[in-house]
Structures are given as C-alpha cells and as structure tokens.
C-alpha cells in the first residue's frame, strides 16, 4: 500500500481502508506492517484474487493511494500460499 507513517498511516486506518477498497472482512487480514513511505498488509490467499481485482483501479476518495499484490504487478491471484501480501 503506498501509504506509510509519513502520511499518517496506522494499522487501524489501513485495516479499514483495505477492507473497504478490497471488499474483504477484517478476518481476511493478517499482519499489517507500516513503514515510513509504504505499508504491507497480509491478505488471506482465498481472498487475494478478488482483493487484487477490487483494488486495481484508483479510489476517487484516495486517488494517491495505490494497492498491489506483492510479486504480481498485474494483480492476479497468487499461487497456493496461505496468505499473500498486498503492498
């Protein structure tokens, strides 16, 4: 997620934003790591494909924040991992 500590990101706000944009539940989210300029959010593998498709387009509410699946710049579903990361 292109939102980090420098722009006042915190785990609670990130959770709400990725759930809304990715159309997933909080139970589909694992660890959230907030770095200086970006954040990494673990998303359950069963939700990752739909999450990637839902977050592919910019959000009019937050046009400057982008979300992509780590290791998959096209946002396609990941392999058989238990969780995948959104970055």
């Amino acid at each position: 997620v292109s939102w980090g500590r420098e722009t006042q990101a915190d785990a609670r706000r990130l959770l709400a934003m990725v759930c809304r944009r990715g159309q997933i539940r909080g139970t589909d989210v694992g660890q959230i790591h907030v770095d200086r300029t970006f954040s990494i959010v673990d998303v359950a593998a069963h939700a990752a494909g739909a999450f990637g498709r839902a977050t592919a387009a910019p959000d009019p509410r937050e046009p400057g924040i982008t979300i992509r699946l780590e290791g998959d710049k096209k946002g396609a579903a990941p392999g058989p991992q238990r969780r995948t990361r959104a970055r």
Side-chain angles (χ1 to χ4, degrees):
V1 180
S2 64
W3 189 26
R5 280 192 312 268
E6 283 185 353
T7 51
Q8 282 64 51
D10 64 36
R12 182 181 38 210
R13 292 173 67 195
L14 277 160
L15 177 62
M17 189 262 301
V18 298
C19 287
R20 180 180 56 78
R21 284 196 51 189
Q23 301 170 2
I24 59 174
R25 295 173 174 238
T27 56
D28 294 327
V29 177
Q31 183 177 355
I32 298 174
H33 172 78
V34 182
D35 207 320
R36 187 174 60 82
T37 59
F38 66 91
S39 299
I40 298 174
V41 179
D42 287 339
V43 176
H46 73 269
F51 177 83
R53 288 185 295 279
T55 59
D59 184 346
R61 289 192 206 173
E62 301 151 333
I65 298 176
T66 58
I67 299 173
R68 69 172 175 83
L69 295 181
E70 185 175 74
D72 188 4
K73 295 184 183 357
K74 293 179 184 170
Q81 304 164 341
R82 186 166 121 18
R83 291 196 176 265
T84 189
R85 288 184 162 198
R87 178 174 183 184

